[in-house]
Amino acid sequence: MTEPTLGKDLLGLEGLTKAQVELILDTAEPFKEVSERAIKKVPALRGKTIVNLFFEASTRTRISFEFAEKRLSADTVNVAASGSSVSKGETLVDTARNLEAMRIDMVVIRHGSSGAAKFLADRIRSNVINAGDGTHEHPTQGLLDLLTLRDRFGKIEGLKVAICGDVLHSRVARSNIWGLLKLGAEVAVCGPATLIPPQVVELGVQIIPRIEDAIAWADALNILRLQLERMQAGFIPSLREYNRVFGVTRERLARAPKELAILHPGPMNRGVEIDSDVADGPHSVILPQVTNGVAVRMAVLYLLAGGGPDWRSGGGGDDR
Amino acid sequence: MSDLLIRGGRVIDPSRATDGVADVYVKDGKIEAVGRNIPAQPGASIIDAAGKVVAPGLVDLHVHLREPGFEHAETIATGAMSAAAGGFTAICAMPNTDPVTDSQATVGFVVRQAIRAAKARVYPIGAVSIGQNGEQLTEFGEMVQAGAVAVSDDGRPVATSHLMRTALEYAKTFGIPVADHCEDMSLAKGGAMHEGIISARLGLKGIPSAAEEIMVARDIILAELTGGHVHLCHMSTKGSVALIRWAKERGLRVTAEATPHHFTLTHERCEGYDTNAKMNPPLREAADREAIRQGLKDGTIDCIASDHAPHHYDTKEREFDDAPNGIVGLETALGLGLRELVEPGLLSLPDLLARMSTVPARIFKLPGGTLMVGAPADVVVFDPAERWTVRREDLHSRSTNSPFLGETLSGRVQLTLVGGRVAYDRSNRQIL
């Protein structure tokens, strides 16, 4: 059997095989150590040019990608939509083609429209990494969640993971569902019915309507951010009631039959979907998630650049 | 105009329920005779139709011609040319132009541009409300005098139940239908495709079937209240078909159309975020498509309309959320009808032609849809067996936003006559 590769782009986890997901996680493993060094740098992507094209505000994901790129010795440029020609009406494809005319190697794109990363990937030769497209996927978030769960439990297969909150509008939820299912986890979603697409059952995901039942069932909770505009759009009556009915609180966790790992993709609304004593509690892996984010993104960048298993020996990819 | 003898074709005239090999003689723009071995008068042009079908020109109750206001996407002339190339001799232009066709002056503009184009006949549909704003009724009477054949706020629904009620009542005076785009805007708001498993996976906001069905139900109930004629545009769901069936059983004046894309495609076509699969109503599920097909078979859905919706390349070449709804359809409608409905045995060829010519002509009370002696010579000649591939460069519309590019269709139009004049002739592709 040939070794799996990633291909040109990383647009989502839906299109990946189990072997590809495992390849990324396994590749991320040794990259963790790079970030622990005094000199946090390997030459794997030396000479590569990467553009971080962010059409939506992002702190965590953008910085995480930037660290990953810099620790691999790539040259990086950050483009934010405001202040660029995009704000003057330039189309997405024109923006990307102009960047490509400057001979870049990769584009990391965050965009408010589902499918934007694929749209771009179909039209430019550079590698495209989806850093979140609308309410579709956020594959590197899904991968870092998988890595964090694997670190904590040793393996994903057979694990029961409940994704809690606004699944309808969550690209994190979609990437998690695909990644977890591919690696053999059992997946449930929990939240108000207005924010749960009922079709998820067709994917093999169960719906648990009440948070108490999800807590009793799960080994791990991945708690999604509840965006404040959902209240204005009428999906929920109030944040206060959301916390009372769906919030993950210490009291609710105390009744669980076992200790649950607590994940959150951030940024958190403390006191809404998650209480501070849970977020900061002993079973929270929220900060390890962030640490793993850099390693996973290093792995993705490295693999898309054509890297093999020999990055420690010097140059990676095809630029030796 | 010289006489024309269309010789030896399979002449199908759904208006008289006839189907057999015959000649059709055209004189002074009218059908002069239909029968065997008609002799050609001196100077008459002879068209050999052996092996081809000769039928009443197709009639499309629902097209968007974009003029005035969006001439970069389509004009009345290019739309009428596209129609003729697709075998259509009469098309009805929706009023959502800029300015909106909501007065006798704007209706008159469409009529004049169509005469100038001299291809397919173009009948304007006036807006129900001024500016399609959903508030004040337009002057139906003056618009009808100027040439409007129906009223509609298409592109959006007739906004309120009260407006729909008054429109249906007022339209009765002039004997025209109110054509409605059925969509509950509060349910459909922000939607980019059908709400279902595909929208859930793609992370696109869905438009539930209920958004259409609620308005279909409203319109049926108001048709009963008013006794007016409601024509339901581009039906797309199983539930809508059931509601219309119920309305017809009650004897209400309800007619309905469906598009070739809704009897051919499903929401799965949106995979990959192809903006040529983005339309409103959206492509639905396989069960919906099947219900539309059955509706066309049993007559619950009266006719096929293309909902020809040209959009410039640039506006479709973008993110799915931001792309406009709709596809061009005039030049693929017949080929899809043959491939999807006739070849699998769902409809006979005469039944398909009835749903594409005779029946729609009757719904909007248009001339055409018949080869009766004395009728205007609106005729299409096509080879039902000829297979052809849809190629961007072959389309006559100014826009080529079609999900069927590259597909092989059945039945290619050879000749289209409008009032006895050649509007399209593929043998020499001359534009007469």
Side-chain angles (χ1 to χ4, degrees):
Chain A
M1 203 185 110
T2 53
E3 285 289 303
T5 57
L6 277 198
K8 176 178 164 288
D9 311 300
L10 179 68
L11 304 179
L13 298 191
E14 181 181 0
L16 298 189
T17 62
K18 180 182 182 189
Q20 286 174 314
V21 175
E22 285 174 340
L23 171 71
I24 298 168
L25 300 184
D26 293 344
T27 307
E29 214 47 68
F31 279 126
K32 286 179 184 170
E33 177 263 329
V34 175
S35 296
E36 305 301 328
R37 295 182 190 176
I39 297 172
K40 300 176 176 54
K41 219 170 182 73
V42 291
L45 293 189
R46 194 167 55 195
K48 296 281 185 193
T49 311
I50 302 176
V51 175
N52 299 315
L53 189 55
F54 276 65
F55 292 89
E56 276 186 347
S58 161
T59 306
R60 182 183 331 252
T61 303
R62 186 178 56 73
I63 292 175
S64 179
F65 266 108
E66 211 177 331
F67 275 138
E69 291 154 3
K70 286 184 158 59
R71 288 174 192 178
L72 291 170
S73 308
D75 296 314
T76 67
V77 177
N78 293 323
V79 181
S82 58
S84 71
S85 49
V86 174
S87 58
K88 297 172 194 159
E90 187 173 67
T91 66
L92 172 57
V93 70
D94 282 338
T95 302
R97 282 182 180 146
N98 277 281
L99 292 169
E100 192 159 68
M102 299 178 209
R103 301 292 178 257
I104 57 167
D105 298 293
M106 292 191 187
V107 177
V108 176
I109 179 175
R110 156 73 59 98
H111 196 287
S113 288
S114 299
K118 175 170 170 52
F119 177 86
L120 195 65
D122 289 345
R123 285 161 182 78
I124 65 174
R125 290 185 304 277
S126 307
N127 306 104
V128 173
I129 299 172
N130 182 7
D133 63 326
T135 56
H136 176 224
E137 283 222 46
H138 189 353
T140 56
Q141 178 72 43
L143 289 163
L144 73 88
D145 291 343
L146 292 173
L147 188 62
T148 306
L149 287 168
R150 199 171 78 167
D151 287 351
R152 165 73 189 254
F153 292 97
K155 62 171 186 161
I156 305 283
E157 196 176 349
L159 210 59
K160 291 177 174 167
V161 181
I163 301 168
C164 306
D166 183 4
V167 174
L168 183 64
H169 300 99
S170 176
R171 52 196 175 208
V172 175
R174 282 172 182 74
S175 288
N176 262 274
I177 287 169
W178 291 117
L180 289 163
L181 290 175
K182 279 172 204 290
L183 296 192
E186 289 184 56
V187 184
V189 294
C190 174
T194 50
L195 295 173
I196 301 288
Q199 299 86 4
V200 294
V201 295
E202 295 176 46
L203 307 179
V205 173
Q206 62 169 307
I207 296 172
I208 301 179
R210 298 189 65 88
I211 190 70
E212 294 82 0
D213 298 333
I215 288 169
W217 173 83
D219 299 309
L221 299 182
N222 197 339
I223 303 161
L224 302 172
R225 170 182 170 75
L226 186 82
Q227 290 181 319
L228 307 183
E229 56 260 37
R230 302 300 167 228
M231 191 172 69
Q232 285 126 33
F235 287 99
I236 54 163
S238 71
L239 299 180
R240 192 186 60 80
E241 175 162 288
Y242 185 87
N243 181 256
R244 287 175 70 100
V245 180
F246 293 100
V248 179
T249 60
R250 191 174 59 183
E251 293 71 33
R252 287 195 168 117
L253 285 178
R255 287 195 288 273
K258 57 194 165 218
E259 304 293 352
L260 275 66
I262 302 295
L263 292 83
H264 192 299
M268 289 184 280
N269 295 308
R270 289 170 181 265
V272 181
E273 72 268 8
I274 186 168
D275 278 4
S276 285
D277 45 11
V278 174
D280 305 332
H283 304 292
S284 166
V285 289
I286 295 170
L287 291 174
Q289 283 177 276
V290 179
T291 308
N292 279 341
V294 178
V296 150
R297 290 176 178 119
M298 288 172 79
V300 168
L301 292 162
Y302 175 73
L303 289 166
L304 287 180
D310 55 344
W311 59 269
R312 280 170 227 257
S313 64
D318 49 11
D319 63 337
R320 263 185 278 183
Chain B
M1 195 188 301
S2 73
D3 295 0
L4 276 171
L5 176 61
I6 306 167
R7 187 179 268 168
R10 176 182 169 192
V11 178
I12 300 175
D13 182 1
S15 77
R16 294 176 302 144
T18 57
D19 179 1
V21 173
D23 302 337
V24 176
Y25 199 82
V26 174
K27 188 180 178 63
D28 298 329
K30 292 191 164 66
I31 305 288
E32 173 81 4
V34 180
R36 294 289 183 104
N37 303 319
I38 298 176
Q41 302 296 316
S45 306
I46 296 174
I47 294 157
D48 177 17
K52 300 198 168 62
V53 168
V54 180
L58 307 180
V59 176
D60 192 338
L61 302 185
H62 193 139
V63 303
H64 298 272
L65 298 184
R66 305 304 186 207
E67 183 184 359
F70 310 96
E71 292 86 350
H72 58 295
E74 191 80 291
T75 64
I76 290 167
T78 58
M81 182 66 234
S82 178
F88 289 91
T89 54
I91 56 178
C92 299
M94 282 295 178
N96 60 337
T97 48
D98 184 14
V100 169
T101 309
D102 62 359
S103 66
Q104 61 173 335
T106 44
V107 167
F109 171 78
V110 175
V111 169
R112 282 194 302 282
Q113 290 297 79
I115 290 168
R116 195 175 295 168
K119 294 296 172 195
R121 301 173 197 273
V122 178
Y123 296 103
I125 297 172
V128 170
S129 62
I130 292 171
Q132 295 190 299
N133 286 333
E135 287 162 12
Q136 194 180 341
L137 282 183
T138 58
E139 292 159 337
F140 291 7
E142 289 193 348
M143 291 197 300
V144 168
Q145 286 243 305
V149 296
V151 288
S152 180
D153 273 352
D154 187 69
R156 57 184 79 164
V158 176
T160 65
S161 301
H162 172 72
L163 183 67
M164 189 63 179
R165 175 195 180 160
T166 51
L168 282 166
E169 288 171 339
Y170 194 54
K172 285 199 290 183
T173 312
F174 310 102
I176 55 168
V178 180
D180 199 17
H181 165 117
C182 293
E183 183 178 17
D184 181 317
M185 299 300 279
S186 70
L187 277 177
K189 187 180 170 192
M193 65 173 295
H194 173 65
E195 181 177 306
I197 179 67
I198 309 288
S199 68
R201 277 180 35 220
L202 294 179
L204 291 169
K205 177 148 175 23
I207 302 171
S209 296
E212 175 172 303
E213 291 153 5
I214 284 168
M215 290 303 245
V216 169
R218 178 197 79 172
D219 288 355
I220 288 169
I221 290 163
L222 292 173
E224 178 150 36
L225 175 67
T226 62
H229 176 186
V230 62
H231 178 71
L232 302 166
C233 297
H234 42 54
M235 290 291 95
S236 72
T237 81
K238 192 176 158 184
S240 294
V241 175
L243 286 164
I244 297 162
R245 197 167 281 136
W246 177 80
K248 289 190 167 179
E249 283 164 12
R250 289 173 73 84
L252 304 179
R253 292 180 71 197
V254 173
T255 53
E257 67 187 35
T259 71
H261 43 280
H262 287 110
F263 67 63
T264 303
L265 302 174
T266 66
H267 62 155
E268 287 164 8
R269 190 64 175 69
C270 296
E271 296 263 15
Y273 302 94
D274 180 355
T275 57
N276 280 334
K278 184 176 178 184
M279 44 266 270
N280 190 9
L283 298 172
R284 304 280 186 188
E285 299 180 17
D288 297 302
R289 178 178 60 181
E290 185 53 31
I292 297 294
R293 289 176 175 221
Q294 290 303 323
L296 281 164
K297 183 185 167 88
D298 69 19
T300 305
I301 306 282
D302 299 87
C303 68
I304 293 167
S306 73
D307 196 8
H308 179 76
H311 289 292
H312 190 270
Y313 176 82
D314 290 342
T315 63
K316 279 286 197 180
E317 176 68 0
R318 59 187 313 166
E319 300 89 316
F320 199 91
D321 277 333
D322 298 336
N325 289 307
I327 60 167
V328 293
L330 284 166
E331 294 172 67
T332 49
L334 176 62
L336 289 165
L338 289 163
R339 191 187 78 181
E340 298 292 323
L341 304 176
V342 176
E343 286 175 9
L346 200 80
L347 291 189
S348 67
L349 181 51
D351 285 347
L352 175 72
L353 292 170
R355 304 225 176 280
M356 294 187 77
S357 68
T358 308
V359 175
R362 282 179 190 152
I363 291 172
F364 276 15
K365 302 192 178 88
L366 308 177
T370 178
L371 297 177
M372 283 223 280
V373 170
D378 289 4
V379 181
V380 60
V381 180
F382 64 95
D383 181 348
E386 183 177 344
R387 298 191 182 270
W388 59 287
T389 301
V390 185
R391 296 191 307 174
R392 194 182 288 277
E393 57 270 29
D394 293 342
L395 298 178
H396 295 74
S397 171
R398 186 165 277 187
S399 296
T400 57
N401 50 304
S402 169
F404 302 111
L405 292 175
E407 284 199 29
T408 300
L409 304 185
S410 304
R412 195 154 204 193
V413 174
Q414 184 66 42
L415 180 77
T416 306
L417 298 181
V418 177
R421 200 173 30 74
V422 176
Y424 175 76
D425 182 354
R426 194 167 65 87
S427 60
N428 51 10
R429 288 199 58 131
Q430 58 189 349
I431 308 211
L432 298 167

